[in-house]
Amino acid sequence: MPGFAPSLSTIASHREVAAVIALALIAALYGIWWSWWQLPKRQVNHLALKIRDPKARADVEDSIRKTVGQALGGLAVLLGAMFALFQFLEQQKAAHDLLISNQVSKGFEQLASKELFMQLGGIYALEGVMNTSDDYRVSVLEALCAFVREQTKDVPERSDQPPATQVQAALTVIGRRTEGPGHVDLLEVRIPNADLGGADLIDAELGGSILIGANLTGANLINANLRYAKLDGADLSKADLTRAVVEQFQLDKACGTDVKLRPPLTVEVCSELRSFYRRQ
């Protein structure tokens, strides 16, 4: 099939590797030959004036050759041990990669389940992968964001209920992920009353999201896009909205203390009256 045919660049790369290995092997064989055969002769030639007896010189040459042979034998053993260690580490890595791959597949399978505990198991299994494997980090983060968007698409805008257990779990995992590549895409997500306290939402896409009554205390929203997001009654205390895309009319319906905002944006201190916005 054409789709599985190796590319010219791949073939060229393999040929280059083979050429390098061949040259290294030739150089190694030459080095062994020179060290075992030529080096003893040169050493004895340097001693020609001190050792005039041909038999004695031959004995010295044989002695040097034996010493070199023992050294080469020791080197061969050392290289063999290093090669065995390299093979062991490669096998360990392959086994680890297979384990991670299986964990990802199982996590996605559980995430697609309709049962709560299966979904929770998938979320926390994928969290472990996201925070330890660079190969799967971005895809897992995208899957968790898609899961939240899909699970909340029919949530009423003014719901008095917190997000479903599995949705809140996914949000928590997204918000506490370790530092690394990946983009939080929660565009138009409907998560009123969600708990995003301390969440890492740097550069997050939250445009058009429903965050009415949400807890965003201490959330990192640097460079986040909050355009048209509804923040009615949201608590932004100690949140960092530096360079975030947000307008004053949105903040007028939110509240918080020690909120980091670009001038001239401001936000009022929270009070019990803020719950009014959640009921509107």
Side-chain angles (χ1 to χ4, degrees):
M1 294 176 63
F4 292 94
S7 64
L8 293 177
S9 60
T10 300
I11 295 174
S13 176
H14 289 170
R15 288 178 177 173
E16 290 175 1
V17 172
V20 170
I21 292 175
L23 289 174
L25 182 60
I26 293 171
L29 291 174
Y30 176 79
I32 292 172
W33 172 81
W34 188 89
S35 299
W36 186 78
W37 187 255
Q38 289 295 106
L39 180 61
K41 289 181 176 295
R42 290 195 175 194
Q43 292 296 99
V44 170
N45 289 338
H46 291 160
L47 298 174
L49 295 177
K50 294 182 180 180
I51 306 175
R52 297 183 178 276
D53 183 13
K55 184 178 183 306
R57 289 202 299 270
D59 290 340
V60 170
E61 184 176 334
D62 288 341
S63 177
I64 294 174
R65 189 165 285 119
K66 288 178 181 179
T67 302
V68 172
Q70 291 174 348
L72 290 175
L75 179 61
V77 172
L78 178 60
L79 290 176
M82 291 176 63
F83 180 72
L85 177 61
F86 173 77
Q87 282 188 314
F88 173 75
L89 293 176
E90 284 296 301
Q91 291 172 353
Q92 290 288 92
K93 183 179 184 300
H96 178 265
D97 291 344
L98 179 60
L99 178 64
I100 293 296
S101 177
N102 290 338
Q103 190 174 352
V104 170
S105 297
K106 184 65 175 179
F108 285 154
E109 181 182 335
Q110 290 178 303
L111 205 62
S113 172
K114 299 300 182 182
E115 298 182 14
L116 172 60
F117 290 107
M118 290 289 286
Q119 291 177 332
L120 290 175
I123 290 168
Y124 293 123
L126 291 173
E127 178 182 22
V129 173
M130 179 174 62
N131 291 334
T132 57
S133 173
D134 291 337
D135 293 334
Y136 292 101
R137 178 185 175 87
V138 173
S139 59
V140 168
L141 179 58
E142 290 175 350
L144 290 174
C145 289
F147 175 78
V148 172
R149 293 195 306 270
E150 179 63 23
Q151 292 287 317
T152 60
K153 62 182 180 181
D154 296 323
V155 172
E157 183 176 304
R158 296 286 172 178
S159 173
D160 290 330
Q161 301 299 317
T165 302
Q166 64 271 37
V167 172
Q168 182 59 62
L171 289 171
T172 300
V173 166
I174 291 169
R176 70 185 180 199
R177 71 192 184 284
T178 57
E179 186 176 353
H183 179 68
V184 176
D185 182 2
L186 294 174
L187 182 69
E188 297 183 351
V189 72
R190 304 172 74 87
I191 48 173
N193 309 303
D195 184 3
L196 293 168
D200 177 6
L201 297 171
I202 294 177
D203 297 319
E205 177 56 75
L206 291 162
S209 59
I210 306 299
L211 294 167
I212 296 173
N215 173 27
L216 289 161
T217 58
N220 192 338
L221 289 156
I222 294 175
N223 286 329
N225 176 22
L226 290 161
R227 189 184 301 275
Y228 304 122
K230 294 194 175 182
L231 301 172
D232 309 25
D235 189 347
L236 301 173
S237 296
K238 297 184 179 179
D240 191 345
L241 280 80
T242 307
R243 298 187 300 278
V245 180
V246 65
E247 301 298 333
Q248 186 61 56
F249 75 89
Q250 296 169 275
L251 297 174
D252 287 341
K253 295 185 177 181
C255 68
T257 56
D258 300 322
V259 185
K260 294 182 179 179
L261 295 164
R262 71 176 187 277
L265 297 178
T266 59
V267 64
E268 295 183 14
V269 176
C270 290
S271 69
E272 294 182 0
L273 293 177
R274 283 293 167 185
S275 61
F276 167 77
Y277 289 112
R278 292 170 55 184
R279 298 193 299 269
Q280 279 189 313

